[in-house]
Amino acid sequence: MSRPERAARPPAGPRRPTADDGVLVVDKPAGWTSHDVVARVRRLASTRKVGHAGTLDPMATGVLVVGIGRATRLLTYVTGADKDYTATVRLGVATTTDDAEGETLAVHDASALTRDDLVAPVAALTGDIQQVPSSVSAIKVDGQRAYARVRSGEDVELAARPVHVARLDVLDVRAAAVDGVTVLDVDVAVTCSSGTYVRALARDLGTALGVGGHLTALRRTRVAGYGLADARTLDELAATPEDRPVTVLPLADAARAALPARELDDADARALSYGQGIAPGDAPAGPLAAIGPDGTLVAVVERRGPRLRPVVVFSPAAT
């Protein structure tokens, strides 16, 4: 018996031109993981070489820095940068995940709390602090993500780690009701170091006040020099005509947003393109974006001994 003929596959549509090497600042929508955004950008940019700097939880929105092509090599310098958030903390309800996606553990009447009661515990959570991350964070424990261990039924206790909270400002306080119990919703603005968990700040604020707390909303408004003003939604990116590549922030501009810049003359640009060191001059400590006379990103450099040496070369010399 002969096999039935397969239906002809419809011809594929035109492939969008590949995006240039550079950075997209995406305004991540709620409900999407950071990996979901990367997968979408891969299709929009017509390339597999896409990565992100700094995971956002699915419930969070806002700035997600996405590197395309050679810009993925810049992401390590973005991931460790400080960040700004706006958030809403619900005082009076504790959850298993320290945010609104978890199951409720306890509900306490918070009607007696006033804005003045927040001053001391907020101050205690500002500056250099030791923070215990949420047990459902992405931190690895013996090679496995903490959240995976929790989902498999394990009790996970993570060690406290040093973080820096430069700003924890209370913006608004208002009453709400949960199951007939009065709770408080507190809007805050946060500036913090990489590795700080805003939901852990919500949990610890509630614990300090004796009523429990969790995060109900989180929006990242800045990472390093990338802010919401630079961000585009996935729908805006998808509206790019199919015959045009999506527009990215060029490598040099992307590097300037993440790192201090060192302007090069022709001789230094050529030396770095060959992987050679250059005189440091008055260069500050830490990585620098080395920008050539033509405005292109030549390399990321660091002081090593008496010279500035390339860590990553973006414009290698032609061979």
Side-chain angles (χ1 to χ4, degrees):
M1 181 181 294
S2 61
R3 292 182 179 179
E5 293 185 4
R6 291 183 178 180
R9 180 176 294 179
R15 184 175 183 270
R16 189 192 301 274
T18 301
D20 292 335
D21 295 341
V23 159
L24 287 176
V25 183
V26 177
D27 188 347
K28 188 189 86 64
W32 286 58
T33 68
S34 300
H35 292 298
D36 291 337
V37 174
V38 166
R40 181 66 173 135
V41 171
R42 281 176 176 149
R43 294 193 293 273
L44 292 172
S46 295
T47 178
R48 296 287 303 169
K49 197 170 184 180
V50 177
H52 71 82
T55 300
L56 274 175
D57 290 336
M59 69 166 275
T61 66
V63 172
L64 184 69
V65 179
V66 178
I68 296 173
R70 288 181 295 159
T72 56
R73 304 175 76 186
L74 278 175
L75 297 181
T76 185
Y77 303 102
V78 180
T79 302
D82 63 340
K83 301 167 177 68
D84 287 342
Y85 297 91
T86 56
T88 301
V89 178
R90 174 155 288 178
L91 295 174
V93 181
T95 72
T96 55
T97 59
D98 304 327
D99 62 22
E101 295 187 328
E103 298 177 4
T104 298
L105 291 172
V107 178
H108 295 284
D109 186 347
S111 60
L113 292 176
T114 68
R115 186 170 185 140
D116 288 344
D117 293 325
L118 305 181
V119 174
V122 163
L125 291 171
T126 306
D128 293 321
I129 64 172
Q130 292 286 325
Q131 184 183 71
V132 177
S134 170
S135 61
V136 292
S137 68
I139 293 171
K140 286 189 175 181
V141 179
D142 296 330
Q144 189 176 9
R145 301 291 185 187
Y147 62 75
R149 290 182 173 274
V150 170
R151 288 172 183 167
S152 67
E154 293 185 42
D155 289 329
V156 176
E157 294 185 8
L158 299 175
R161 54 179 56 195
V163 297
H164 182 75
V165 180
R167 177 176 63 134
L168 178 54
D169 292 341
V170 175
L171 305 178
D172 186 44
V173 179
R174 58 194 177 276
V178 174
D179 298 333
V181 177
T182 299
V183 299
L184 289 186
D185 284 342
V186 181
D187 294 334
V188 297
V190 182
T191 299
C192 56
S193 64
S194 177
T196 304
Y197 286 86
V198 180
R199 56 183 162 164
L201 292 176
R203 174 201 66 205
D204 293 344
L205 181 59
T207 299
L209 290 164
V211 295
H214 73 282
L215 204 64
T216 62
L218 181 66
R219 183 160 177 78
R220 189 155 67 192
T221 58
R222 181 188 63 85
V223 178
Y226 309 98
L228 281 174
D230 308 308
R232 287 176 285 171
T233 66
L234 292 171
D235 287 342
E236 289 170 338
L237 292 170
T240 304
E242 289 291 335
D243 60 344
R244 299 180 188 175
V246 293
T247 303
V248 301
L249 190 65
L251 278 173
D253 293 339
R256 288 180 186 275
L259 298 168
R262 167 69 179 265
E263 306 296 334
L264 305 173
D265 58 24
D266 287 323
D268 283 348
R270 182 172 178 79
L272 290 176
S273 72
Y274 278 104
Q276 300 169 356
I278 62 175
D282 58 355
L288 305 170
I291 309 296
D294 60 353
T296 61
L297 176 64
V298 177
V300 173
V301 298
E302 288 185 353
R303 187 190 291 262
R304 294 184 176 175
R307 309 284 282 174
L308 282 180
R309 297 195 176 276
V311 180
V312 183
V313 176
F314 289 89
S315 299
T319 57

